[in-house]
Amino acid sequence: MERYEPSLPQEINQGSQQAARPHRSWKLGQRAAQGTLVLLLCAGGFLSLFPLGRAFTRSALLLPALLTASEPPPLAAAGDAIRFTRLTLFPNTSRTVDLDIYEPATPPPPIPGGREVIIDVPGAGDQRSLGQLVNLSQSLAREGIIDVNVGTPELFDYRVSAQEGQAVVQAFELMERWPGVNPRHIGIITFSVGSLLAYDAAADPRIRDKVAFVGTLGGYADVTTLLRTMGTRSQDINGQTQRWEPIATTPYVLYRSVGYLFSPADQKLLQKAFPFSIGFPPPLPAAQVARLSPAGAAYYHLLEGDQAGNVNRNLAALSPSLKALFAQLSPLSVISQIRAPIHLLHERSDPAVPYSQDVEMAAALARLHHPYDLAAYTIFEHVVVNLKSSLNQTLSDGSKLLGVLTSIMLVGS
């Protein structure tokens, strides 16, 4: 006998299914909202409670200030008030040390406690009032970091000296005792030829085990290979030769830093050949070049770049005292003594210091198994942000810069 099972009319069954759909949609929406809330809470906790998250957050706030060379409204509104102090140190030497200190005017937060310090070494010349440097210092201070710009009479006068690293050491030791500072969270960043001061200080036995990091933008590695690049007007990048044309400031600094080793007659002619100017002056007349000493003539041709085929001969003709000084002025001579990780940043087409210098530094650090990273940029003009960079350049280089900033911010986060 067949079993009879009554069924609902088709219209009623379809109505029940349609009534259930809004309920299921509401349930799914509720679960999606709950999942989103959990993700937001986790992200907020990571960004605020974990060191890496705090470092990323601070870097994300700083990045627009660096790319636009001005403080963005969120940073200016939410950041700390700033206190500025200008100090001159008179150590037990004939040199003075000038410090511009930008620091938050508020007490350090309970987490992480003591503040991070960045000791900042600008390049040759007195750059203390340069708009982008002031913006960088103020932006760092608004993010809770003490920024200390270090200057010396030698650097202000466009001269690089092997003794100037002592100025950075003295600034470092002062900041170790500065109120509200965590002495284990002090790093050094530097621009252009100021890199020598940073490397020399980071290698100094008094502080080398305390330096949290070294960061360089547009730095150099070795004076002799820099002179070779000057002499040939070309640079070697991973086995490929590329044309390179320097700006007039480069030979000016290279002459002023070693000029005292030449005779007064040589100095007079070399000063005429490489003055402080925007562009290169006309070459010296042949009769004046003939009056230079053999070493003076060799140095002239290297800086002038008019004897590309004789670079090796001109380098060999330099005096032993010059060659010894080149070794003292070369950061490569001290990197084996540095303990801190090193961040190398460089513009690919840098006309002041060739990109090949940091490629050479990176290769040397790799041979030493020293922790480092090298990032090439197109948004800089030597050490100044190019505000006319394209959107693609800004996005590409901005992501790399964010990674470097996060590493630096992590020290004090």
Side-chain angles (χ1 to χ4, degrees):
M1 185 173 185
E2 292 185 359
R3 183 177 179 183
Y4 173 75
E5 292 184 1
S7 60
L8 293 173
Q10 184 176 1
E11 293 81 1
I12 297 176
N13 187 44
Q14 289 177 345
S16 301
Q17 291 176 353
Q18 290 174 358
R21 283 172 188 166
H23 180 72
R24 286 199 299 269
S25 298
W26 182 83
K27 282 288 187 181
L28 290 173
Q30 186 183 44
R31 290 172 183 171
Q34 290 172 342
T36 301
L37 181 60
V38 170
L39 287 175
L40 289 174
L41 289 174
C42 291
F46 171 75
L47 294 175
S48 60
L49 299 177
F50 289 84
L52 181 59
R54 291 197 299 270
F56 180 82
T57 301
R58 299 169 82 187
S59 300
L61 287 171
L62 275 173
L63 185 62
L66 300 183
L67 296 179
T68 62
S70 61
E71 287 184 272
L75 182 60
D80 291 323
I82 301 171
R83 180 167 55 241
F84 172 76
T85 306
R86 175 164 286 180
L87 294 179
T88 300
L89 305 182
F90 297 92
N92 296 324
T93 67
S94 59
R95 293 176 170 82
T96 59
V97 181
D98 294 291
L99 305 179
D100 280 4
I101 304 173
Y102 296 80
E103 61 181 322
T106 55
I111 298 175
R115 295 195 185 278
E116 178 180 356
V117 177
I118 293 179
I119 296 177
D120 187 346
V121 189
D126 189 349
Q127 310 292 342
R128 289 177 291 180
S129 60
L130 185 68
Q132 289 199 15
L133 179 64
V134 173
N135 171 66
L136 172 64
S137 300
Q138 291 179 340
S139 298
L140 288 169
R142 290 202 188 281
E143 267 303 299
I145 297 168
I146 301 175
D147 188 67
V148 183
N149 293 330
V150 179
T152 68
E154 293 269 335
L155 269 183
F156 292 159
D157 201 26
Y158 289 87
R159 289 177 290 166
V160 181
S161 168
Q163 288 73 42
E164 297 303 283
Q166 299 302 309
V168 180
V169 174
Q170 288 150 12
F172 192 102
E173 292 180 328
L174 173 67
M175 298 316 296
E176 284 185 298
R177 305 185 300 271
W178 199 260
V181 167
N182 186 330
R184 299 185 301 277
H185 294 170
I186 305 177
I188 307 170
I189 63 173
T190 182
F191 302 90
S192 191
V193 294
S195 55
L196 175 67
L197 282 68
Y199 286 120
D200 279 351
D204 192 290
R206 290 171 290 179
I207 67 170
R208 68 182 174 198
D209 293 322
K210 307 175 186 177
V211 178
F213 59 83
V214 175
T216 71
L217 175 59
Y220 75 102
D222 182 76
V223 175
T224 299
T225 57
L226 178 56
L227 284 172
R228 186 181 300 279
T229 302
M230 287 287 298
T232 62
R233 294 300 197 261
S234 63
Q235 60 177 331
D236 182 79
I237 306 294
N238 300 323
Q240 295 185 343
T241 301
Q242 302 175 2
R243 185 70 181 168
W244 180 76
E245 291 289 344
I247 58 174
T249 306
T250 303
Y252 177 72
V253 173
L254 282 169
Y255 165 67
R256 288 189 61 76
S257 299
V258 303
Y260 65 92
L261 291 179
F262 291 97
S263 68
D266 279 356
Q267 290 182 35
K268 184 176 180 180
L269 290 171
L270 290 171
Q271 286 172 358
K272 179 182 178 182
F274 307 109
F276 182 75
S277 62
I278 296 177
F280 278 87
L284 291 178
Q288 294 183 0
V289 176
R291 286 160 41 194
L292 289 165
S293 68
Y299 204 59
Y300 168 80
H301 290 304
L302 288 168
L303 298 186
E304 187 67 30
D306 61 349
Q307 291 188 353
N310 292 329
V311 166
N312 289 335
R313 187 176 67 184
N314 285 328
L315 286 171
L318 299 176
S319 65
S321 58
L322 267 174
K323 295 175 183 177
L325 181 57
F326 292 163
Q328 295 177 24
L329 297 179
S330 297
L332 277 181
S333 64
V334 300
I335 60 168
S336 63
Q337 304 166 48
I338 296 175
R339 304 289 183 264
I342 297 175
H343 305 284
L344 304 172
L345 294 77
H346 215 114
E347 180 202 352
R348 284 189 180 275
S349 57
D350 192 333
V353 179
Y355 173 57
S356 57
Q357 284 291 297
D358 264 342
V359 172
E360 182 178 359
M361 177 62 77
L365 292 170
R367 288 193 295 271
L368 292 170
H369 304 288
H370 189 102
Y372 80 95
D373 52 74
L374 169 62
Y377 294 87
T378 58
I379 59 171
F380 291 107
E381 293 178 344
H382 185 38
V383 296
V384 176
V385 175
N386 180 4
L387 300 179
K388 297 180 180 179
S389 298
S390 68
L391 178 61
N392 286 339
Q393 289 175 314
T394 302
L395 292 175
S396 175
D397 287 359
S399 62
K400 292 186 288 186
L401 190 56
L402 180 63
V404 175
L405 282 174
T406 301
S407 297
I408 292 175
M409 297 296 104
L410 184 59
V411 169
S413 297

